[in-house]
Amino acid sequence: MGKWSKRNIFRTVWFSIIFVLFIWNWSTFQAQNLPENTFTNSEAISVTETNDQITFKPAKSNNQLEIIFFQGGLTDPKAYGPLCKKLAKKGFTCHLIKMDWRLPQYDYQKTSKLFNIQHGQFVIGGHSQGGKMAAQFVYENPGVFKGLFLMGTSHPRDIDLSSSNIPCLKLYAEYDGLASVEEVMENKKKLPMNTELIMIEGGNHSQFGYLGQLLMDSSPNITLEEQQELSFVSLHEFLVKVNYSLVRHGR
């Protein structure tokens, strides 16, 4: 009886530790410390939410482009709301896609049902696994998208986009514990020929969104706000270049 009691105690302690670790890990995937009014409508920006997406639409814009943003795997899509809203303030309509079960690898193709991608002016991209699936979607639909951006991902790894001339931006972080600089460089040869690579010095994987520090990620040397601003500036400059090219060539 005493042995069974010890075994029961051990099992209880063990499963309690596992449960606590699970809850802690899951909590890091939730949106945290979001700026106030991120999802609030204003005269300049309208924010609409459905089961499939959150759209940030500027009241006035001279830009032809619309952005399709894929969330990271398991992450709360709202963690990317601040970045999308900043882009909307610069005149770019941004569609933040909400993946079923938060898994882009299984739900990314619904984008074809949400948008007329064959006749629109779309730039597509995402963070982590969302970046992977954005690259996959471009690979499956050659010549459709006007640009591709990848944030905090070692992909494309399983596909080769090196023959594509799509404008591409790849943002990677110095202390990314899930997509290291070495992994990014290893797969550099599979990126589109017109790719600009920018390293966020001092940044990590988690701070590409308003998230907790994800398991296996390294600690950053810059603040969340600093990494978000650096990411925004690079992405905005990329979008301006793509939009200018479209206008210039009358597309």
Side-chain angles (χ1 to χ4, degrees), residues 102-187:
R102 298 187 179 182
L103 296 174
Q105 73 267 39
Y106 298 122
D107 204 31
Y108 73 101
Q109 290 184 342
K110 74 177 180 182
T111 307
S112 296
K113 300 177 181 178
L114 296 173
F115 310 100
N116 186 357
I117 60 172
Q118 298 292 335
H119 298 94
Q121 304 277 27
F122 294 104
V123 170
I124 192 169
H127 174 225
S128 193
Q129 192 179 87
K132 172 187 176 181
M133 301 322 298
Q136 178 71 34
F137 205 46
V138 167
Y139 180 78
E140 294 171 359
N141 297 274
V144 170
F145 294 99
K146 307 307 178 185
L148 169 68
F149 62 92
L150 308 170
M151 302 167 58
T153 179
S154 59
H155 292 271
R157 185 183 64 200
D158 307 320
I159 57 173
D160 191 342
L161 291 174
S162 60
S163 62
S164 173
N165 63 358
I166 184 174
C168 180
L169 172 68
K170 184 156 192 176
L171 298 177
Y172 61 104
E174 183 178 10
Y175 298 114
D176 192 322
L178 284 80
S180 68
V181 174
E182 291 76 17
E183 290 175 306
V184 169
M185 292 299 106
E186 183 179 343
N187 296 316

Side-chain angles (χ1 to χ4, degrees), residues 32-52:
Q32 301 180 18
N33 303 312
L34 293 170
E36 189 177 357
N37 300 324
T38 296
F39 300 99
T40 303
N41 286 301
S42 67
E43 292 184 3
I45 307 293
S46 66
V47 183
T48 58
E49 183 172 1
T50 68
N51 291 332
D52 293 309

Side-chain angles (χ1 to χ4, degrees), residues 3 21 72 85 94 113 115 145 172 197 203 212:
K3 291 182 178 180
L21 288 174
K85 193 162 191 179
C94 193
K113 300 177 181 178
F115 310 100
F145 294 99
Y172 61 104
L197 286 91

Side-chain angles (χ1 to χ4, degrees), residues 227-243:
Q227 183 164 344
Q228 285 284 309
E229 181 63 18
L230 290 169
S231 300
F232 162 70
V233 169
S234 296
L235 184 51
H236 176 246
E237 290 178 352
F238 169 72
L239 293 170
V240 168
K241 291 177 185 176
V242 175
N243 189 73

